[in-house]
């Protein structure tokens, strides 16, 4: 399926001062193409949590946004490592490996991945020592 | 409870007023936390009518509010945003106050005046 709109962003490890800028741009971009506020909010929450995860846990990475021709929105978060050691635990509410610095920024409550999964219509995560790829899909409810 | 009533009850000082029309808007709930992950996970219904009360004072509070469409933020314990965060605040659509009350006291005052939590 063809993508009507494609954007790519770089995320830098431990760059807390810019954390959230990508998700802010994604929210504004999708608002401009007419995505409804309720869906937009779900996308923004999932994108922001995922972006924060890349900054806190990964060695940076790339975020790719696509608006498909059938109206679905796909966001892929791809990092080069170090991977999630125990994916099952990472999806358990309250479980966290966040650093003290991340906690001081207001994150590391262990709600990130469970919350991302909750607000997404499609959720796929693949992780190894070579990196993690998180693919999220969203669509307007009919 | 109107924003201006909330500010008066907390003897709060405005840090940034984006929209004066919102000062007379009724807010139906409040959520207090220093963990933005919890705010992102738990504020699911009508965040635009929810007041965020926090002692965390950095740009991630503003980003969290932006993602959730929260309009009114109260910083407790007399916290002040840094200049970098204030720059972000000016670009966004928030009304922001600070109060010298602790989070516990601020919540108690607002609850006693009828402003309930997100779950009633």
């Amino acid at each position: 399926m063809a993508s009507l709109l494609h954007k790519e962003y770089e995320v830098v490890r431990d760059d807390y001062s810019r954390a959230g800028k990508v998700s802010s741009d994604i929210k504004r971009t999708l608002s401009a193409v007419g995505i409804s506020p309720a869906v937009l909010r779900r996308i923004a929450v999932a994108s922001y949590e995922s972006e924060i995860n890349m900054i806190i846990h990964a060695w940076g990475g790339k975020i790719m946004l696509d608006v498909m021709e059938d109206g679905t929105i796909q966001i892929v978060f791809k990092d080069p490592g170090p991977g999630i050691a125990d994916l099952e635990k990472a999806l358990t509410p309250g479980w966290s490996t966040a650093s003290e610095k991340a906690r001081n920024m207001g994150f590391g409550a262990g709600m990130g991945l469970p919350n991302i999964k909750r607000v997404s219509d499609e959720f796929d995560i693949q992780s190894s020592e070579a990196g993690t790829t998180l693919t999220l899909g969203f669509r307007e409810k009919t | 409870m109107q924003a201006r009533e909330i500010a008066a009850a907390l003897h709060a000082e405005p840090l940034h007023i984006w929209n004066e029309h919102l000062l007379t808007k009724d807010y139906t709930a409040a959520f207090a936390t220093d963990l933005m992950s919890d705010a992102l996970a738990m504020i699911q219904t009508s965040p635009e009518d929810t007041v965020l009360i926090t002692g965390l004072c950095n740009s991630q509070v503003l980003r969290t509010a932006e993602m959730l469409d929260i309009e009114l933020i109260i910083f407790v314990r007399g916290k002040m945003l840094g200049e970098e965060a204030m720059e972000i605040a000016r670009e966004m659509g928030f009304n922001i106050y600070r109060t010298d009350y602790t989070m516990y006291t601020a919540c108690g005052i607002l609850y006693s005046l009828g402003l309930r939590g997100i779950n009633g």
Side-chain angles (χ1 to χ4, degrees):
Chain A
M1 190 183 301
S3 172
L4 300 176
L5 186 156
H6 176 81
K7 288 185 95 168
E8 291 192 14
Y9 308 87
E10 293 287 338
V11 173
V12 178
R13 179 188 190 179
D14 285 340
D15 187 1
Y16 290 91
S17 67
R18 292 170 55 85
K21 285 198 82 162
V22 171
S23 300
S24 181
D25 188 80
I26 286 175
K27 190 177 184 195
R28 287 175 196 178
T29 299
L30 294 177
S31 177
V33 299
I35 305 299
S36 71
V39 178
L40 201 55
R41 191 178 298 143
R42 289 195 290 118
I43 294 170
V45 167
S47 174
Y48 183 45
E49 286 275 20
S50 304
E51 182 184 353
I52 291 287
N53 277 346
M54 284 182 117
I55 292 166
I56 291 174
H57 297 292
W59 300 326
K62 191 177 275 190
I63 300 176
M64 289 151 284
L65 166 71
D66 283 285
V67 179
M68 313 306 284
E69 60 184 357
D70 68 352
T72 58
I73 293 126
Q74 179 178 279
I75 313 179
V76 178
F77 303 81
K78 192 173 178 59
D79 70 59
I84 301 169
D86 190 329
L87 202 49
E88 192 177 330
K89 279 185 178 170
L91 285 161
T92 304
W95 192 84
S96 175
T97 60
S99 66
E100 189 64 26
K101 188 172 182 184
R103 290 175 198 275
N104 288 341
M105 295 296 290
F107 292 90
M111 297 301 285
L113 273 180
N115 196 30
I116 294 165
K117 191 173 184 182
R118 179 183 63 81
V119 298
S120 303
D121 295 314
E122 287 167 32
F123 176 96
D124 180 73
I125 187 163
Q126 306 293 330
S127 189
S128 71
E129 289 179 0
T132 299
T133 300
L134 173 66
T135 305
L136 305 178
F138 303 88
R139 58 183 171 272
E140 300 278 356
K141 302 289 186 201
T142 53
Chain B
M1 194 172 180
Q2 292 184 358
R4 65 180 181 183
E5 296 171 329
I6 292 169
L10 298 178
H11 304 291
E13 170 195 355
L15 292 182
H16 177 63
I17 300 298
W18 167 70
N19 186 340
E20 294 209 357
H21 295 296
L22 293 179
L23 298 181
T24 53
K25 173 182 163 173
D26 266 315
Y27 291 86
T28 54
F31 186 81
T33 185
D34 286 352
L35 277 173
M36 295 302 105
S37 304
D38 279 354
L40 288 161
M42 300 193 70
I43 303 176
Q44 298 172 20
T45 307
S46 303
E48 65 277 10
D49 298 326
T50 301
V51 184
L52 177 62
I53 302 168
T54 183
L56 186 71
C57 208
N58 60 35
S59 58
Q60 299 316 312
V61 174
L62 306 177
R63 293 289 181 202
T64 297
E66 179 190 19
M67 300 308 152
L68 287 169
D69 299 322
I70 283 172
E71 301 166 351
L72 180 59
I73 305 170
I74 311 281
F75 289 109
V76 296
R77 306 193 287 271
K79 295 286 184 72
M80 183 69 188
L81 279 172
E83 191 47 42
E84 191 178 340
M86 280 303 295
E87 279 297 316
I88 294 173
R90 290 185 196 104
E91 295 171 8
M92 297 182 183
F94 309 127
N95 287 346
I96 306 174
Y97 290 86
R98 72 168 174 176
T99 176
D100 286 334
Y101 287 122
T102 63
M103 185 182 286
Y104 181 81
T105 305
C107 292
I109 290 168
L110 296 180
Y111 194 90
S112 72
L113 292 171
L115 187 64
R116 296 297 189 248
I118 55 171
N119 296 323

